[in-house]
Amino acid sequence: MCLLLGAAGTGKTLLAKRLYKLSTSNDVGDLGDIPPTLSTVGTNLTDLVIQKKKITVRELGGCMGPIWPSYYRDCSLVMFVIDAANPTQVSASCIQLLSVLSAELLATASVLILFNKIDLPCSVSLVELKSLFRMNDIVSSAKQPITVLETSARDGTGLPAVLQWLHSACRD
């Protein structure tokens, strides 16, 4: 099971829909129109099949942060989404991320940190975001293996790399 976490409005729902579309077509140029999304209140389940490997992604709404830990059991993968175009959300996202990384039930989970919405003109550069988050400190002190990627769920940038990470990090 892979958990898809992050603050409200970071693009988790669109990301899950785009990953599903990409996993069924393998053509990032054919993502089609941007599907409508609503803020998730509760959870959404998406089954991805990547190179004959089925991975279930459970998206948890950002407003559910206080009860995320009740979903950590049986989780081997975590994708944590951060809105790269919303620097005012950095502190809250950092606190949420540190809370996820310190959870004992996720001590052996592989973690993918996604800086999403890089297609927006107001997005912050990866170098700046890593500095704001003190990403080097987080990665060096975390128990989990951590990967950091930039994505745009809107235009598909970085999504093939996300699917590749899911496939390689997933334990059968």
Side-chain angles (χ1 to χ4, degrees), residues 1-2 10 32 40 54 57-58 71 77-78 83 87 93-96 108 114 117 123 125 142 151-152 154 167 169:
M1 170 78 64
C2 175
T10 58
T40 301
K54 181 182 171 192
V57 175
R58 180 184 295 270
Y71 292 90
L77 304 170
V78 174
D83 185 343
S93 290
C94 191
I95 290 167
Q96 284 181 318
T108 60
L114 298 170
K117 301 187 182 182
S123 70
S125 74
T151 59
S152 167
R154 286 177 58 90
H167 181 265

Side-chain angles (χ1 to χ4, degrees), residues 24 29 56 72 129 136 154 161 164:
T24 59
T56 300
Y72 292 170
L129 284 167
N136 289 338
R154 286 177 58 90
Q164 181 57 47

Side-chain angles (χ1 to χ4, degrees), residues 30-159:
D30 186 32
L31 287 175
D33 293 333
I34 298 168
T37 60
L38 295 171
S39 285
T40 301
V41 178
T43 71
N44 288 327
L45 291 175
T46 304
D47 287 329
L48 305 176
V49 179
I50 307 165
Q51 299 172 12
K52 299 181 183 176
K53 194 183 285 190
K54 181 182 171 192
I55 301 168
T56 300
V57 175
R58 180 184 295 270
E59 174 197 351
L60 300 178
C63 63
M64 294 178 55
I67 63 167
W68 287 352
S70 61
Y71 292 90
Y72 292 170
R73 192 171 309 284
D74 301 324
C75 171
S76 61
L77 304 170
V78 174
M79 291 190 292
F80 192 88
V81 183
I82 297 163
D83 185 343
N86 187 352
T88 61
Q89 204 177 53
V90 166
S91 337
S93 290
C94 191
I95 290 167
Q96 284 181 318
L97 176 61
L98 291 171
S99 175
V100 167
L101 294 175
S102 66
E104 196 56 43
L105 287 172
L106 296 178
T108 60
S110 295
V111 177
L112 177 61
I113 299 171
L114 298 170
F115 290 110
N116 193 32
K117 301 187 182 182
I118 62 164
D119 58 306
L120 298 178
C122 58
S123 70
V124 180
S125 74
L126 182 60
V127 170
E128 202 172 353
L129 284 167
K130 283 182 170 183
S131 174
L132 287 170
F133 273 85
R134 297 186 57 180
M135 199 55 68
N136 289 338
D137 293 339
I138 289 174
V139 170
S140 66
S141 63
K143 299 173 195 165
Q144 305 89 334
I146 296 176
T147 303
V148 177
L149 293 173
E150 289 182 296
T151 59
S152 167
R154 286 177 58 90
D155 70 15
T157 302
L159 299 189

